[in-house]
Amino acid sequence: MAGFGELPLGALNLYGTGPNAFNEESEQVGLLVAAHAAVAFADSQKISQLAKPWLPGS
């Protein structure tokens, strides 16, 4: 799972055409893509929260 701290933000599922379709380099690329997606998703959540008006007691 990709995320920050203890909060997972999602999962990246990859499918191959057969057994052993992915090697160590493929795994590293997948982790890189997942990390970038997690950063983008977390930033979009923060921006969305900033756009909401703050209401006392909420």
Side-chain angles (χ1 to χ4, degrees):
M1 293 228 195
F4 292 100
E6 298 297 319
L7 180 66
L9 295 175
L12 178 66
N13 296 320
L14 301 174
Y15 299 93
T17 56
N20 301 315
F22 304 108
N23 59 19
E24 200 169 313
E25 182 181 3
S26 302
E27 182 180 351
Q28 292 299 315
V29 170
L31 289 171
L32 182 66
V33 170
H36 281 273
V39 169
F41 187 73
D43 284 347
S44 71
Q45 285 185 325
K46 287 180 184 176
I47 290 170
S48 176
Q49 290 172 355
L50 290 174
K52 294 179 184 177
W54 180 81
L55 300 174
S58 61

